[in-house]
């Protein structure tokens, strides 16, 4: 794919069309993949915030932090920004450790957490080599203020269900992580991090579709994945 | 003052002080448990990165004590050790009590305490944690059965006596009151069979706890094949040491075999402690030899980081060197041997903390600690007062259960009495 094509139409348009194509297929025929171009990421953290807003993440829970890396020594210095969503590993270390089968790989490759089954032992959090899981300890932004704020009470729609945080109810007490915004995908929308990326550094799509943008990108020689030596086979790729 | 000492004898005063201390500990602890039940994990200091803390360490500590005390009792029953036969029942009581303490510790740590039974209704047998839960449930049942057969003859004797003992005995006997030689022999055979089953079970479940950590590929500090073995020797050392202390302090001093039993126990503990030290040396020296790598850095932190004293003062000095000196120099003083055992047993918590916490204090990706800031997203951890309160409650409860068990059950049989009855 030439750069010229990218400039003509917003890459988001192309990915949206591909998404529509993918969700018409049976779930097991889709293979969701994310590609992040580290040369384009400017470290604005818009994806982190969009994700928090989309999934109504409470304090201390984060699905997609952006790691800032400083390279070199003065005067030859540079910075690199590495967004870190859940890697949705093909060989996920978090899944076999769960004592109650509350986390599993879906037919489309996304690792799901069944909030109503998770007992909150946090074993999966220790097992993730990317620290991609966080625990919901039941905190609110408006803790220690006279009144609970409306945004603290807004429900999230993760995994296509409505989750209202209150008392000890799930997802409070559960392990939580990025799920590629499955609820948005089902509605034909790209993940929140992808649409909010101002530098268009995050790409998303179906790797089973040979015509898709992500299929093209992950076949390039400048593609890498984090900690490949562990054999986890992440479905998040980085362009370097 | 003189009238006071006249009225209250010294041991009685000691018991009163112990009682007051226990009550204070229980109340402070219960306050912590109430906070846990009302506010969840709000006041705990662990977060999403150092995701396990004091309660998980307490869990592997107590469960180690249980496995150790049990293995000791099983060896006594299976190999019919004459010297230690009498303490078998006390060992079983200690094993039951510490197991309850362990289960409480991990239960308070769960995000959803009410869902604990999911491990039975929807288990994932690929998970070491599921295996561990199933195995220690089997172990719990086996412990209760063993305790029943170990106490039955004595309880049968109680059932024909007067007062509260009769009530306790009738309640616990489940109808089997016979004191015939056949019935007593049946108990012995049952104990031997249960003990034989219990040894592999205890090895499997505590080795399983070691495997729970050892199989985590993402944590280089834990990912070592030595862990299941190290957990077992640790269990034997700490559980054996606790038994030494329990016998030294709570066994009737007028038993002619008292000194011999304490000496034998402390010798066992001493030998296993030496073996454990060799394993520990391997655990530290091999990954540190190159002087580079993630495991080297973590071990450096354990040895020379801000919590160096947990390793050097609590574990090496108080939990190893001083007990060894006592074992070697005070062989004929059972109370001193009890102190040595107590020191090893109590400070072993430092070893357990040094397993759980250092495994989690290094970011899996460098720079993650600064990527998104929140107090629950840090790679540092010191237990909060609230967390200690909950552990205090568990300790007070455990001690209370042990005390009650010792008072209400015939777990102590003095040599003379035993020979007389047979």
């Amino acid at each position: 794919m030439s750069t010229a094509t990218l400039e003509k139409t917003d890459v988001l348009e192309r990915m949206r069309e591909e998404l529509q194509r993918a969700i018409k297929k049976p779930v097991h025929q889709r293979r969701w993949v994310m590609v992040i171009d580290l040369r384009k990421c400017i470290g604005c953290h818009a994806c982190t915030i969009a994700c928090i807003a989309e999934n109504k993440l409470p304090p201390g829970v984060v699905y997609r932090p952006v790691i800032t890396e400083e390279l070199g020594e003065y005067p030859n210095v540079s910075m690199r920004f590495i967004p870190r969503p859940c890697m949705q590993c093909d060989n996920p270390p978090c899944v076999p450790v769960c004592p109650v089968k509350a986390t599993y790989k879906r037919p489309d490759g996304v690792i799901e957490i069944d909030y109503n089954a998770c007992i909150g032992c946090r074993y999966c959090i220790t097992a993730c080599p990317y620290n991609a899981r966080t625990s919901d300890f039941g905190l609110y932004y408006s803790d220690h203020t006279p009144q609970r704020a409306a945004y603290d009470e807004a429900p999230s729609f993760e995994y296509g269900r409505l989750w209202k945080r209150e008392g000890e109810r799930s997802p409070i007490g559960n392990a939580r992580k990025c799920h590629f915004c499955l609820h948005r995908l089902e509605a034909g929308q790209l993940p929140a991090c992808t649409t909010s990326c101002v530098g268009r550094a995050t790409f998303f799509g179906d790797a089973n579709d040979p015509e898709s943008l992500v299929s093209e990108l992950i076949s390039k020689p400048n593609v890498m994945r984090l900690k490949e030596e562990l054999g986890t086979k992440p479905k998040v790729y980085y362009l370097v | 003052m003189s009238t006071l000492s006249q009225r209250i004898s010294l041991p009685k005063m000691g018991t009163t002080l112990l009682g007051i201390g226990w009550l204070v500990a229980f109340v402070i602890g219960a306050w912590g448990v109430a906070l846990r039940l009302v506010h969840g994990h709000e006041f705990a200091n662990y977060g999403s990165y150092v995701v396990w803390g004091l309660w998980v360490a307490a869990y592997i500590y107590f469960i180690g004590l249980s496995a150790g005390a049990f293995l000791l009792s099983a060896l006594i029953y299976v190999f019919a050790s004459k010297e230690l036969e009498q303490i078998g029942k006390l060992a079983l009581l200690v094993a039951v009590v510490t197991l309850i303490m362990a289960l409480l510790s991990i239960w308070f740590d769960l995000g959803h305490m009410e869902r604990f039974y999911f491990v039975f209704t929807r288990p994932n047998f690929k998970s070491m944690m599921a295996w561990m839960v199933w195995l220690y449930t089997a172990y719990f049942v086996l412990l209760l059965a063993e305790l029943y057969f170990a106490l039955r003859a004595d309880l049968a004797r109680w059932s024909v006596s007067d007062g509260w003992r009769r009530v306790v005995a009738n309640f616990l006997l489940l109808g089997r009151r016979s004191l015939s030689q056949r019935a007593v022999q049946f108990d012995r055979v049952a104990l031997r069979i249960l003990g034989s089953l219990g040894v592999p079970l205890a090895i499997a479940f505590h080795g399983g706890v070691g495997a729970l950590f050892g199989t985590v590929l993402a944590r280089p500090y834990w990912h070592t094949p030595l862990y299941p073995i190290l957990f077992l020797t640790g269990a034997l050392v700490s559980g054996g040491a606790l038994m030494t202390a329990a016998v030294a302090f709570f066994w009737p001093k007028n038993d002619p075999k008292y000194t011999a039993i304490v000496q034998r126990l402390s010798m066992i503990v001493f030998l296993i402690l030496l073996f454990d030290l060799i394993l520990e040396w391997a655990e530290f020296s091999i990954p540190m030899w190159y002087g580079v790598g993630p495991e080297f850095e973590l071990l450096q932190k354990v040895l020379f980081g801000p919590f160096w004293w947990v390793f050097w003062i609590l574990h090496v000095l108080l939990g190893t060197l001083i007990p060894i000196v006592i074992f070697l120099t005070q062989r004929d003083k059972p109370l001193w041997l009890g102190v040595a055992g107590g020191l090893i047993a109590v400070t072993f918590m430092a070893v357990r903390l040094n397993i759980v916490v250092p495994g989690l204090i290094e970011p899996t990706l460098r720079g993650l600690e600064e990527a998104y800031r929140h107090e629950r997203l840090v790679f540092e951890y010191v237990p909060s007062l609230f967390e200690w309160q909950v552990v205090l409650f568990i300790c007070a409860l455990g001690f209370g259960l042990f005390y009650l068990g010792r008072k209400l059950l015939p777990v102590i049989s003095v040599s003379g009495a035993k020979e007389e009855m047979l």
Side-chain angles (χ1 to χ4, degrees):
Chain A
M1 182 192 57
S2 70
T3 328
T5 333
L6 271 177
E7 282 164 2
K8 254 192 251 167
T9 49
D10 190 327
V11 70
L12 286 178
E13 289 304 318
R14 177 178 171 186
M15 290 193 288
R16 272 190 201 117
E17 277 165 28
E18 291 168 2
L19 180 65
Q20 297 299 336
R21 216 157 54 217
I23 58 173
K24 283 193 185 104
K25 295 195 290 183
V27 179
H28 68 274
Q29 285 178 20
R30 310 170 197 158
R31 191 182 133 82
W32 300 123
V33 153
M34 188 172 279
V35 183
I36 301 169
D37 193 338
L38 297 184
R39 301 161 305 181
K40 284 182 166 181
C41 178
I42 55 168
C44 70
H45 298 259
C47 56
T48 311
I49 304 302
C51 170
I52 289 168
E54 173 66 34
N55 295 301
K56 320 291 189 309
L57 300 186
V61 176
V62 63
Y63 290 174
R64 189 181 158 106
V66 177
I67 296 169
T68 302
E69 214 180 351
E70 289 178 30
L71 305 161
E73 270 179 44
Y74 180 83
N76 301 309
V77 288
S78 57
M79 278 175 124
R80 181 162 66 170
F81 308 100
I82 309 169
R84 199 255 29 227
C86 169
M87 300 291 136
Q88 315 294 354
C89 304
D90 247 350
N91 193 6
C94 52
V95 167
V97 299
C98 177
V100 294
K101 297 183 195 158
T103 187
Y104 40 82
K105 189 163 84 173
R106 287 163 43 100
D108 56 10
V110 174
I111 312 300
E112 183 167 341
I113 300 173
D114 181 347
Y115 286 155
N116 288 331
C118 171
I119 60 171
C121 69
R122 312 193 290 286
Y123 194 14
C124 57
I125 303 183
T126 70
C128 174
Y130 307 99
N131 274 126
R133 288 175 172 239
T134 49
S135 180
D136 188 332
F137 288 106
L139 307 180
Y140 296 90
Y141 293 99
S142 51
D143 275 341
H144 313 295
T145 63
Q147 206 183 346
R148 182 144 302 158
Y151 53 78
D152 263 334
E153 290 182 331
S156 80
F157 299 95
E158 294 173 85
Y159 307 111
R161 294 184 53 173
L162 189 139
W163 303 96
K164 193 164 165 51
R165 287 175 84 251
E166 57 187 14
E168 299 280 306
R169 277 174 59 181
S170 285
I172 289 172
N174 292 138
R176 302 183 65 175
K177 67 169 196 75
C178 153
H179 33 66
F180 278 177
C181 281
L182 276 170
H183 57 288
R184 288 175 60 99
L185 300 183
E186 294 300 330
Q189 295 175 327
L190 290 165
C193 55
T194 310
T195 50
S196 62
C197 181
V198 294
R200 299 289 184 264
T202 296
F203 308 102
F204 186 84
D206 175 18
N208 276 352
D209 176 357
E211 313 258 291
S212 70
L213 174 59
V214 290
S215 291
E216 284 175 28
L217 292 174
I218 61 174
S219 66
K220 302 284 181 206
N222 60 331
V223 80
M224 58 85 99
R225 293 183 290 185
L226 294 179
K227 298 197 179 189
E228 287 214 63
E229 71 280 8
L230 294 181
T232 51
K233 299 186 180 152
K235 285 195 285 290
V236 174
Y237 295 78
Y238 293 90
L239 298 177
V240 292
Chain B
M1 202 53 207
S2 62
T3 45
L4 188 74
S5 59
Q6 271 164 10
R7 254 187 279 151
I8 306 171
S9 63
L10 263 180
K12 201 167 177 189
M13 221 169 93
T15 314
T16 314
L17 281 177
L18 199 70
I20 294 170
W22 180 85
L23 196 67
V24 171
F26 188 82
V27 170
I28 296 174
W31 176 241
V33 171
L35 285 176
R36 165 68 188 87
L37 296 177
V38 176
H39 294 278
H41 297 253
E42 195 182 330
F43 303 116
N45 272 1
Y46 44 77
S48 282
Y49 292 157
V50 183
V51 80
W52 285 344
L54 184 68
W55 297 343
V56 173
Y59 161 69
I60 59 171
Y61 169 64
F62 291 132
I63 209 141
L65 292 177
S66 178
F70 173 77
L71 282 172
L72 204 69
S73 82
L75 294 178
I76 291 166
Y77 288 122
V78 175
F79 298 107
S81 160
K82 284 278 168 227
E83 282 151 310
L84 295 177
E85 198 182 358
Q86 284 160 265
I87 64 154
K89 288 178 270 189
L90 191 70
L92 282 175
L93 176 68
V94 169
V96 172
V97 169
T98 43
L99 178 64
I100 293 171
M101 294 166 82
L103 296 181
L104 268 180
S105 309
I106 205 65
W107 190 47
F108 287 132
D109 192 72
L110 288 185
H112 280 276
M113 290 166 76
E114 77 286 1
R115 293 181 189 166
F116 77 93
Y117 68 91
F118 283 11
V119 187
F120 301 106
T121 55
R122 42 178 306 158
N124 170 20
F125 283 118
K126 232 183 165 182
S127 168
M128 281 296 139
M129 191 179 280
W131 270 109
M132 187 187 70
V133 175
W134 277 67
L135 287 172
Y136 69 54
T137 305
Y139 167 69
F140 199 7
V141 173
L142 184 122
L143 266 182
L144 293 179
E146 263 207 58
L147 203 57
Y148 171 77
F149 286 110
L151 299 180
R152 202 200 60 83
D154 287 332
L155 285 172
R157 240 163 264 126
W158 279 16
S159 71
V160 289
S161 66
D162 290 322
W164 62 268
R165 289 191 163 179
R166 187 179 178 156
V167 181
V168 170
N170 281 332
F171 180 70
L172 295 174
L173 271 172
L174 307 176
R176 288 186 66 239
R177 284 156 215 277
S178 170
L179 269 170
S180 68
Q181 218 170 10
R182 219 179 124 203
V184 174
Q185 188 58 27
F186 181 85
D187 292 343
R188 286 185 172 234
V189 173
L191 272 177
R192 264 186 103 146
I193 294 173
L194 289 173
S196 312
L197 288 174
V199 174
L201 191 59
I203 291 175
F205 99 78
H206 202 62
V209 183
L212 186 151
F213 289 90
T215 50
V216 180
L217 182 68
R219 306 288 165 179
Y221 184 80
W222 292 344
H223 191 53
T224 146
L226 211 54
Y227 256 30
I229 301 159
L230 205 63
F231 268 62
L232 278 172
T233 54
L236 281 168
V237 169
S238 58
L242 183 68
M243 276 309 299
T244 311
V247 173
F249 298 125
F250 295 101
W251 199 264
K253 312 286 182 287
N254 56 6
D255 184 343
K257 279 189 174 174
Y258 167 69
T259 308
I261 295 174
V262 179
Q263 281 175 333
R264 171 53 62 118
L265 273 177
S266 61
M267 179 52 91
I268 295 173
V269 172
F270 177 65
L271 292 176
I272 306 170
L273 179 66
L274 292 185
F275 181 62
D276 194 51
L277 283 179
I278 297 172
L279 288 185
E280 205 172 4
W281 170 252
E283 186 62 27
F284 278 80
S285 62
I286 304 282
M288 290 193 85
W289 187 79
Y290 266 111
V292 289
E295 215 184 328
F296 167 75
E297 284 170 31
L298 283 165
L299 289 168
Q300 280 281 105
K301 275 191 189 168
V302 171
L303 298 181
F304 310 111
F307 297 101
W308 61 273
W309 51 271
V310 175
F311 182 82
W312 292 109
I313 306 285
L314 294 180
H315 172 48
V316 174
L317 183 68
L318 294 173
T320 310
L321 292 180
I322 292 179
I324 286 179
V325 170
I326 296 176
F327 283 147
L328 293 177
T329 59
Q330 310 291 328
R331 286 227 40 81
D332 47 353
K333 292 181 186 141
L335 282 180
W336 271 107
L337 296 175
V339 169
L343 269 177
I344 296 176
V346 171
T347 57
F348 218 80
M349 182 67 190
V351 177
R352 299 314 195 191
L353 269 168
N354 261 344
I355 285 173
V356 175
V357 180
L360 297 165
I361 53 168
E362 199 64 31
T364 54
L365 298 167
R366 294 220 182 254
L368 196 59
E369 66 278 19
E370 290 176 353
Y372 185 79
R373 287 181 187 267
H374 188 270
E375 58 185 15
R376 301 269 175 170
L377 297 172
V378 291
F379 288 91
E380 289 160 6
Y381 170 72
V382 179
S384 67
L385 185 66
F386 155 72
E387 287 170 72
W388 282 111
Q389 271 177 284
V390 172
V391 171
L392 190 67
F393 171 81
I394 292 165
C395 290
L397 188 78
F399 191 81
L401 285 175
F402 173 75
Y403 191 80
L404 273 182
R406 188 179 161 274
K407 281 264 171 205
L408 296 180
L409 298 171
V411 288
I412 303 233
S413 39
V414 179
S415 319
K418 194 162 180 95
E419 276 150 25
E420 189 186 292
M421 107 208 166
L422 290 174

